[in-house]
Amino acid sequence: MSEQRVLDGRYEVGELIGRGGMADVHLGRDVRLGRSVAIKLLRPDLARDPQFRTRFRREAQAVAGLNHPSIVSVYDTGDQEVANGITDAVTVPFIVMEYVAGRTLRDLERSKEVTIGNAIEHTLGVLSALEYSHRSGIVHRDIKPANVIVTPDETVKVMDFGIARAIADSAATMTQTQAVIGTAQYLSPEQARGESVDARSDLYSAACLLYEMLTGRPPFVGESPVSVAYQHVREMPEPPSHFNPEVGSALDSVMNHALEKDRQERFQDAAAFRRALRAARTGVALTPPAPAVPEEQGRNTEAVTAPVATGAAGAAAAGATAAADETRTEAMPRAGASGDADHPQTRAMTAVATAQLDIDDAAAGGSGTDPAPAAGDDDGYGGPIDFHEEEYEPPRKRRRGGWIAALVVGLLVVLGAAGFYLYSTMTAEPPPPPLVKIPDVADMTEAQALSALYENDLDPQTERVENESVAKGIAIGTSPEAAAKVEEGSTVELLISTGPNSVTIPKKLQGQSEASVRDSLQQLGLVGGTTESVDSATVPAGQLIGTNPELGESVPAESTVDLIVSTGNVTVPALTGDRIEDAEAALQDPAISLPYSTNKKETADAAPGTVVSQSIQAGTAVTQETEIVLTVAVEPEEEPETQEPTPSPSPSPSSSSSPSSSPSASPSPDPTGTASTPPED
């Protein structure tokens, strides 16, 4: 791709920043919007397969609809024809994504920078992204450390949504029917068995990710991807505390539930996983649900829990109980009343009464036999013996029966109270569900509003409406309104503005930086166009001077606005030869506004008060507040006239002359009358 530097006439392809089994990722720049992007290009050898191209394009378009702070955004898709040989060419699909500066969890794990607290926070971010994507009907299928980025401010970003349906990391993959279905270390059991996957498969992979962050290793390790996949299907991993003693039992319980083989036994959605993870962070372990008790078994609880005698003693007790029940069901005539001592029933009662008396007397210390009645007397009084139960039941037996009756009554009272309590509990109305307060999301961006609603355990549904006063993509409010209390998980309608039909370019944008102006225009539903750099004496470099259309003008929504930005420079005017007054006025002009100073120079070559030179050549671009030094001509001063000395008159012969007279004096005549000439040196 070195010869193809621009895609779709808009995206400049820069350096290679990542490479996978399916595509290459380059750092790029969106020329139209002036921002950095990440460009993913399908490998040319895979681009020949129509199935790969179709999946690549379909999944990219599906993920482009996801708008969540924990998901890497997809901006655009397209195709680019790339030369692949001398005469052959192939059409390569590409995806333009949000560029995220940060490090992957794989890098953080290798450098051992992940603590238990970090692991929980990162997993909560991943689960937040999965919860949003699952609501949108998209299953990631390839959650792993290499697909999770952590930014410098600890924000979690999940990438490659949906792409794993086509192909994944070639380092360790499982395939079926020529389609990659996941990475072996983070593969759900249903994926390993070749079954269809759903949102719970992503939750299993997220649990494997958390396990690795807690312990420094995946749940299962094997010599090959096949052996690892087999362990996912057949074996349970060791609890994380086995490898990291700092992991508490609460986290162990969450991991045990999240890594269940049967998807019906795992967390059923990402929200439940997040709640359990938050509770485990505070030391609250996950309590497994109690097994259901069949209705028939519940009615027979007393019979099931009653002790059962075994062996010979049990058989004897069972026989005695059956005999007693049978005896109670028959009518027993009173022996004394009939007078027939030989009746079979009378003899049986006599034997029972005698045996009972013997037992009671033996317990009391007696002999166990009664004295024989006198001859001819049946009962010592001349009458026949009457075997009434009350006459032959000793007092000790009556006391025992009273205690048994009291215990039975007490047991019945306790059972009745317990039954009433259970009945009241089962028939009582359940407590009202907890209520949450709807946050105020007005004036937030769509991503911020969605995040705020999800954080309060609400289910937002986006509704886009026109609004003349709220910019495009900004939240207007919710329905129900903010501060209303609703049940957890309730659906809340999030109202997002589509922006007004016409937009006024704000005058306050003047003097702002180019990046701020582009962001403001985007929020207003306008598109920042080309940038023109213009010199300015008053606006600092990089700040906005004006726009085209002009500031304050009303334009249709989604119009393109070109920017005029200051270079911070000023062009020095030509001042040489001008009068100093004109040069000063030129430098003080608001379009130039450069400070200056003057030097004077005596010269007869220029009229006084004329600029003869300037410190910086005309036409040079200088930064604002650069001082210009002007040299100004002044009239030279007149030199004083020098007077020649007047020669003194020659002295007369009668005049006396000194031998040391001045050399300038005329020579004195000699006595002979002729002038004497001084000798030559």
Side-chain angles (χ1 to χ4, degrees):
M1 293 302 300
S2 58
E3 71 276 4
Q4 184 65 49
R5 303 306 301 170
V6 179
L7 302 179
D8 203 17
R10 176 176 178 179
Y11 304 106
E12 294 180 351
V13 181
E15 59 180 310
L16 180 69
I17 59 176
R19 174 168 291 168
M22 177 181 182
D24 297 334
V25 181
H26 295 260
L27 176 62
R29 177 175 175 79
D30 185 346
V31 179
R32 182 178 301 173
L33 298 181
R35 64 182 176 186
S36 297
V37 294
I39 303 175
K40 175 174 286 190
L41 291 160
L42 186 65
R43 281 174 28 194
D45 56 332
L46 297 179
R48 295 180 179 277
D49 189 338
Q51 184 178 6
F52 278 135
R53 290 202 307 269
T54 301
R55 289 182 178 178
F56 190 87
R57 187 178 301 109
R58 183 178 64 246
E59 299 300 339
Q61 291 173 350
V63 179
L66 297 179
N67 187 2
H68 190 271
S70 294
I71 297 177
V72 175
S73 301
V74 173
Y75 296 143
D76 196 3
T77 61
D79 297 311
Q80 187 75 18
E81 189 173 275
V82 177
N84 189 26
I86 300 177
T87 60
D88 193 11
V90 61
T91 300
V92 175
F94 65 87
I95 302 175
V96 181
M97 304 179 298
E98 172 189 6
Y99 174 69
V100 180
R103 302 170 63 189
T104 65
L105 283 183
R106 174 185 292 175
D107 297 334
L108 294 176
E109 290 173 2
R110 289 176 177 174
S111 59
K112 301 187 183 301
E113 299 180 24
V114 181
T115 64
I116 294 178
N118 295 145
I120 295 176
E121 288 298 330
H122 298 339
T123 306
L124 288 174
V126 172
L127 292 174
S128 176
L130 291 177
E131 182 179 3
Y132 180 76
S133 69
H134 293 165
R135 292 179 187 273
S136 301
I138 294 181
V139 181
H140 192 290
R141 300 175 182 242
D142 196 21
I143 292 293
K144 59 182 179 182
N147 284 341
V148 180
I149 296 179
V150 180
T151 63
D153 61 353
E154 297 298 320
T155 300
V156 174
K157 292 279 188 177
V158 181
M159 58 184 177
D160 281 349
F161 264 83
I163 304 303
R165 296 184 182 187
I167 194 166
D169 193 342
S170 59
T173 58
M174 290 292 295
T175 63
Q176 181 184 24
T177 64
Q178 306 300 322
V180 176
I181 59 174
T183 305
Q185 283 83 356
Y186 317 97
L187 204 64
S188 65
E190 54 269 20
Q191 285 176 282
R193 289 191 295 263
E195 300 174 356
S196 62
V197 299
D198 56 18
R200 293 168 294 184
S201 303
D202 279 350
L203 301 185
Y204 184 93
S205 300
C208 295
L209 178 68
L210 174 59
Y211 189 101
E212 182 170 351
M213 286 192 288
L214 293 174
T215 64
R217 47 156 287 167
F220 300 108
V221 178
E223 298 179 354
S224 67
V226 176
S227 64
V228 174
Y230 177 83
Q231 295 178 71
H232 277 292
V233 175
R234 297 295 183 184
E235 300 179 8
M236 284 298 294
E238 295 285 349
S241 58
H242 178 79
F243 301 102
N244 184 0
E246 295 182 4
V247 178
S249 58
L251 273 177
D252 280 344
S253 66
V254 174
M255 295 304 304
N256 184 59
H257 187 64
L259 292 174
E260 286 285 350
K261 305 302 178 187
D262 186 357
R263 70 180 84 182
Q264 298 292 341
E265 301 297 328
R266 299 179 210 145
F267 294 109
Q268 298 300 296
D269 52 48
F273 198 165
R274 291 176 66 196
R275 288 193 294 269
L277 203 53
R278 289 196 187 103
R281 182 171 52 185
T282 61
V284 179
L286 182 65
T287 303
V293 179
E295 185 177 357
E296 293 79 1
Q297 184 177 349
R299 289 197 298 264
N300 298 329
T301 303
E302 183 178 357
V304 173
T305 57
V308 179
T310 59
T321 303
D325 292 341
E326 183 179 356
T327 303
R328 283 194 298 270
T329 58
E330 298 177 356
M332 295 188 296
R334 299 167 63 94
S338 62
D340 187 0
D342 293 332
H343 193 277
Q345 292 183 0
T346 303
R347 288 196 300 269
M349 289 182 65
T350 303
V352 172
T354 303
Q356 184 63 50
L357 287 173
D358 291 341
I359 294 173
D360 292 339
D361 289 342
S367 61
T369 58
D370 290 333
D377 295 336
D378 292 326
D379 59 355
Y381 295 95
I385 298 176
D386 186 5
F387 291 99
H388 289 177
E389 292 183 11
E390 61 273 12
E391 295 177 1
Y392 290 95
E393 182 178 7
R396 187 178 184 86
K397 183 175 181 180
R398 287 197 300 270
R399 288 196 301 270
R400 183 185 304 162
W403 278 108
I404 292 174
L407 289 175
V408 170
V409 172
L411 181 61
L412 291 175
V413 172
V414 172
L415 291 177
F420 178 77
Y421 174 77
L422 291 175
Y423 175 79
S424 301
T425 303
M426 295 176 64
T427 58
E429 294 184 359
L435 300 178
V436 295
K437 186 178 180 181
I438 299 178
D440 186 4
V441 298
D443 298 329
M444 292 185 181
T445 64
E446 183 175 359
Q448 293 171 341
L450 287 171
S451 179
L453 294 173
Y454 280 125
E455 287 296 329
N456 285 272
D457 295 325
L458 298 171
D459 181 16
Q461 299 294 328
T462 303
E463 180 70 21
R464 302 188 184 278
V465 296
E466 294 183 0
N467 191 288
E468 292 296 327
S469 60
V470 180
K472 180 180 179 180
I474 302 301
I476 302 172
T478 56
S479 179
E481 295 182 354
K485 292 185 177 181
V486 295
E487 297 180 6
E488 289 184 357
S490 298
T491 299
V492 177
E493 191 175 36
L494 174 61
L495 304 178
I496 301 295
S497 174
T498 59
N501 293 328
S502 61
V503 181
T504 300
I505 304 175
K507 292 184 178 181
K508 65 179 181 180
L509 296 179
Q510 185 174 16
Q512 297 184 13
S513 65
E514 180 181 356
S516 298
V517 171
R518 290 186 178 275
D519 290 342
S520 299
L521 292 176
Q522 184 178 10
Q523 292 179 3
L524 292 171
L526 300 174
V527 179
T530 60
T531 300
E532 179 184 0
S533 298
V534 177
D535 292 344
S536 174
T538 57
V539 180
Q543 295 185 2
L544 185 73
I545 298 175
T547 59
N548 186 18
E550 296 181 357
L551 295 172
E553 186 175 341
S554 181
V555 296
E558 300 184 359
S559 296
T560 299
V561 179
D562 297 330
L563 309 182
I564 303 173
V565 178
S566 171
T567 62
N569 296 330
V570 180
T571 302
V572 178
L575 305 173
T576 303
D578 293 348
R579 298 287 300 172
I580 183 62
E581 295 83 0
D582 297 336
E584 290 176 347
L587 292 176
Q588 293 173 356
D589 188 287
I592 298 176
S593 188
L594 290 176
Y596 64 91
S597 61
T598 59
N599 289 333
K600 295 181 179 181
K601 181 180 179 181
E602 295 180 358
T603 180
D605 297 336
T610 303
V611 177
V612 296
S613 67
Q614 56 190 70
S615 60
I616 299 178
Q617 187 177 358
T620 303
V622 298
T623 58
Q624 299 168 359
E625 301 300 326
T626 299
E627 184 180 26
I628 307 297
V629 180
L630 303 177
T631 303
V632 184
V634 297
E635 184 178 358
E637 295 181 1
E638 294 183 0
E639 296 181 359
E641 295 182 359
T642 58
Q643 297 180 358
E644 296 182 359
T646 304
S648 60
S650 300
S652 63
S654 60
S655 299
S656 60
S657 59
S658 174
S660 59
S661 59
S662 172
S664 62
S666 301
S668 300
D670 60 7
T672 61
T674 60
S676 61
T677 302
E680 295 180 357
D681 291 336

